Amino acid sequence: MSAPSSPRSAYQELTILGAQGGQPSNAARPLFTPSQQQPSRGNNTMGYPAASSSQQNFEDLRSLQGQADSMRDEAQEVTDQVLRRQVPWDTYQKADLISDRELQLIKRYDKQDRTLQRSLLQEEDGVLYVRAFFSLLRSIASEEVVQYVLALLEDMIREGGARSVALLGAAAEGEGSSDASAILLRMLQRPDWFTKEKAAVVLSNLLSRSQDPVAATGASTSASASAGLKSFVEWLCTELRTPSAERSERTAVTCLSLLLKSGQARQIFLRASGVGSLCARLTPLHGTQTLYECCLCLWLLSFSEEATEELCQLNVPKKLVEVVGKANKEKVLRVALMCLENTLKGLKAADGNSSAGESGGRYDKVLAKLLECGLGKSLEVQRLQAHTDEELLMAMESLEEQLIQGVKKEISSFDKYADEVFSGTLDWTWMHKQDKFFKMNAGKFVDKDCAILRALARILESSTDERSLEVACHDIGQFIQHFAHGRGYLKRLKVKQQLMKLMTHADAEVAKQALMCCQKLMLSKDSLDLLSFS
């Protein structure tokens, strides 16, 4: 399957804010007075409640994910508390901080039920409501009001979806509103995390809209958005590297999952050295939603050749195989598989453009690594599940086909094995564990005056590396089993004496492999066949 040319389909399950659960209706919000229900303003000024020390010691992954859900609930509770506030809009109008028209628009929208709010935004002049709120952010410095307006804008995006994001972009592009990105960027410098997070969420939606080539309207807007995008992506990378709050990593990943749809954002992210920080978050410890968004970011990055190379250097394909093996949610599994598929596609295309040799291509190396990491086995296990997602099933089928071809190539490629043996350092790579490989290539062990056998014998005689000794004993045993007259060659090379010495080796696994190899050397062909059959 060819990777999708657009990220659109992968976003079907990702809400614009990356949050789960519905927002309580405005009708259910009790009124707020300064003496009631106001969030605590201690060290976490309008921030999210910090987890107690007792919550930081966990025994299993389930408890970690439970804490992630708890933190999400606490964050939503704080947001609901802010949205219950009653703001004295008339006071700000009398102080000439907002106009009469803006006051009318704000009062018409604020504290109304969902149905009416959606209806107002769908009107022809719905963008005026968004502009009125941006005007508040521009004119009013009060922390409480800024927090309220940002929470209201986030709530508007959450409820209105693509329509609200379009209005956000239109409001930023309108006359007198070209500084919308700059206003939100200034909010990121405020001391309280609540303001930073809400500003980041709104800004990521605004910039993701401005990076859409269909939505872009002018060169000046594009230039302004590009400057804002650069500053914002760099800020997100800083939050990933050195989190300033408990939720900053989650927020940064959510925002990046919106921004990295843009090729320009991907380039800025690469220049800011953000890939390594993002890859460090590729762990189930962050909960299902954050893991999904992290995989989504990596999939978006895999559309960049430069990013794909860095992902491979950081061993991301291996981490994705671990995600595939443990994923119990279709959306996480789907995007992880699509990332692997797109990475392989990009490497294959790059190898073709660079005229890389078949055995030395990056595609072949990564495919071999996926085989070693057990991707095939993980896919077999996932096949047992009743997955119904069409894109997921197509990605699985594509990867399975590539793995089959990779197995054939690995088994038939003896040069790679020879290079490893001649290097004198062996490891339990995938090739050493395949009986088919030795069955097909046992005859090549005696080519060129037994060059491979002599190299294996030298490892037995002089190597001090336990792993190399284990593998060498195993491979010699495989040669005996699959080459009819192998004992005669080994007798001339005096391999038996070395095996006898290794049977008393201090390392138990080396002694075990030496014993098994010695048994094969001393048994008859019929006995070996019987042993193999059993």
Side-chain angles (χ1 to χ4, degrees):
M1 175 186 122
S2 60
S5 58
S6 167
R8 183 184 304 275
S9 57
Y11 274 78
Q12 291 174 348
E13 291 184 70
L14 176 66
T15 64
I16 289 192
L17 299 177
Q20 296 180 341
Q23 179 81 3
S25 66
N26 279 318
R29 296 175 187 155
L31 296 179
F32 171 82
T33 62
S35 61
Q36 298 174 334
Q37 301 175 341
Q38 187 166 1
S40 170
R41 300 191 56 182
N43 294 332
N44 268 348
T45 305
M46 287 313 302
Y48 294 109
S52 65
S53 58
S54 63
Q55 291 176 316
Q56 296 176 4
N57 297 319
F58 302 97
E59 295 181 357
D60 53 33
L61 178 59
R62 185 173 301 174
S63 63
L64 283 169
Q65 292 176 332
Q67 191 212 27
D69 293 336
S70 174
M71 289 178 60
R72 190 179 297 112
D73 292 341
E74 290 171 349
Q76 189 57 53
E77 182 181 347
V78 174
T79 301
D80 291 342
Q81 287 178 323
V82 171
L83 286 170
R84 293 185 191 116
R85 293 178 179 176
Q86 293 284 2
V87 181
W89 301 118
D90 292 304
T91 302
Y92 295 110
Q93 187 273 332
K94 290 176 183 178
D96 290 330
L97 293 174
I98 55 176
S99 67
D100 291 339
R101 176 60 172 157
E102 288 169 341
L103 177 63
Q104 293 174 10
L105 291 166
I106 291 168
K107 282 188 168 183
R108 192 182 301 170
Y109 184 90
D110 189 28
K111 294 294 189 288
Q112 303 301 324
D113 61 55
R114 295 291 189 198
T115 304
L116 179 56
Q117 286 181 338
R118 281 194 293 267
S119 175
L120 292 173
L121 293 178
Q122 289 171 2
E123 293 177 359
E124 186 176 349
D125 57 353
V127 67
L128 297 179
Y129 295 96
V130 183
R131 286 180 183 166
F133 288 119
F134 270 125
S135 179
L136 284 169
L137 293 176
R138 185 184 303 107
S139 306
I140 299 176
S142 166
E143 183 178 280
E144 287 75 11
V145 176
V146 167
Q147 291 167 350
Y148 182 83
V149 172
L150 288 172
L152 200 61
L153 286 171
E154 181 200 50
D155 182 71
M156 184 186 298
I157 296 169
R158 187 197 307 274
E159 292 298 322
R163 168 64 179 168
S164 294
V165 175
L167 290 176
L168 198 68
E173 294 162 5
E175 183 179 353
S177 301
S178 60
D179 58 346
S181 294
I183 294 171
L184 293 168
L185 284 169
R186 284 200 298 272
M187 300 297 168
L188 299 178
Q189 307 309 316
R190 289 199 169 216
D192 63 293
W193 174 250
F194 185 94
T195 298
K196 289 181 180 180
E197 180 175 42
K198 301 309 178 190
V201 168
V202 176
L203 184 56
S204 62
N205 281 277
L206 173 61
L207 292 176
S208 67
R209 166 76 179 176
S210 67
Q211 294 303 307
D212 185 344
V214 177
T217 58
S220 60
T221 300
S222 178
S224 173
S226 296
L229 180 65
K230 183 176 184 297
S231 298
F232 186 39
V233 171
E234 290 173 349
W235 182 83
L236 292 172
C237 290
T238 300
E239 288 298 318
L240 278 178
R241 281 192 291 269
T242 53
S244 62
E246 197 168 13
R247 283 178 51 85
S248 56
E249 292 175 88
R250 292 181 178 86
T251 301
V253 173
T254 297
C255 293
L256 287 168
S257 69
L258 294 171
L259 295 173
L260 293 177
K261 293 183 289 182
S262 152
Q264 183 182 8
R266 292 194 288 268
Q267 287 301 313
I268 296 172
F269 186 69
L270 287 170
R271 299 294 177 268
S273 303
V275 178
S277 301
L278 178 64
C279 293
R281 273 73 193 168
L282 189 60
T283 166
L285 300 183
H286 287 284
T288 298
Q289 184 65 18
T290 301
L291 179 61
Y292 169 61
E293 291 170 352
C294 189
C295 290
L296 187 58
C297 289
L298 295 172
W299 176 65
L300 293 168
L301 287 168
S302 70
F303 284 87
S304 162
E305 181 178 345
E306 184 179 353
T308 298
E309 292 180 3
E310 190 167 350
L311 293 178
C312 293
Q313 290 171 3
L314 294 170
N315 215 17
V316 170
K318 180 180 179 181
K319 294 182 179 181
L320 287 171
V321 172
E322 294 174 1
V323 172
V324 170
K326 298 176 182 178
N328 54 13
K329 294 289 185 180
E330 274 198 347
K331 65 178 185 179
V332 176
L333 178 60
R334 182 185 69 240
V335 76
L337 291 175
M338 290 174 66
C339 183
L340 285 172
E341 181 190 20
N342 209 45
T343 298
L344 289 173
K345 180 182 177 182
L347 291 173
K348 194 171 187 177
D351 286 349
N353 293 336
S354 63
S355 301
E358 275 193 32
S359 61
R362 291 170 296 175
Y363 170 83
D364 291 336
K365 291 178 180 177
V366 172
L367 191 60
K369 179 65 69 175
L370 294 178
L371 286 167
E372 291 175 19
C373 295
L375 177 59
K377 188 171 294 185
S378 296
L379 291 176
E380 287 178 9
V381 172
Q382 291 293 350
R383 280 288 188 189
L384 300 176
Q385 309 301 317
H387 295 303
T388 57
D389 185 277
E390 186 176 342
E391 285 187 325
L392 186 157
L393 295 174
M394 291 176 68
M396 289 180 70
E397 183 178 343
S398 172
L399 287 169
E400 285 169 345
E401 290 176 357
Q402 293 183 73
L403 288 175
I404 290 172
Q405 295 304 315
V407 168
K408 292 179 179 178
K409 185 172 290 186
E410 285 289 299
I411 289 175
S412 61
S413 176
F414 191 73
D415 290 342
K416 181 178 178 181
Y417 175 81
D419 290 342
E420 184 184 6
V421 172
F422 290 140
S423 72
T425 303
L426 305 180
D427 201 354
W428 285 113
T429 56
W430 180 86
M431 193 179 302
H432 295 279
K433 302 173 185 179
Q434 304 303 308
D435 283 342
K436 288 183 179 179
F437 170 78
F438 292 98
K439 188 174 182 179
M440 290 180 61
N441 296 289
K444 297 179 181 178
F445 278 57
V446 299
D447 288 349
K448 300 179 180 178
D449 194 25
C450 301
I452 296 295
L453 284 181
R454 290 180 187 277
L456 289 171
R458 280 196 298 273
I459 293 174
L460 296 183
E461 183 179 359
S462 59
S463 178
T464 58
D465 177 55
E466 286 86 358
R467 184 62 56 84
S468 296
L469 291 171
E470 292 172 26
V471 180
C473 290
H474 169 270
D475 289 3
I476 291 173
Q478 289 289 73
F479 166 73
I480 297 169
Q481 185 168 338
H482 295 288
F483 194 73
H485 306 291
R487 293 173 183 77
Y489 292 97
L490 295 173
K491 184 177 181 180
R492 287 197 293 272
L493 295 174
K494 299 181 180 180
V495 169
K496 182 179 177 180
Q497 290 87 326
Q498 298 301 327
L499 291 172
M500 298 294 284
K501 292 179 182 178
L502 292 174
M503 286 169 58
T504 59
H505 195 278
D507 185 89
E509 190 60 31
V510 173
K512 174 185 172 182
Q513 292 294 336
L515 174 62
M516 293 174 64
C517 182
C518 205
Q519 286 177 336
K520 292 180 179 180
L521 186 62
M522 299 174 70
L523 288 173
S524 65
K525 180 69 167 60
D526 292 340
S527 299
L528 267 182
D529 292 341
L530 183 61
L531 183 64
S532 176
F533 179 76
S534 61

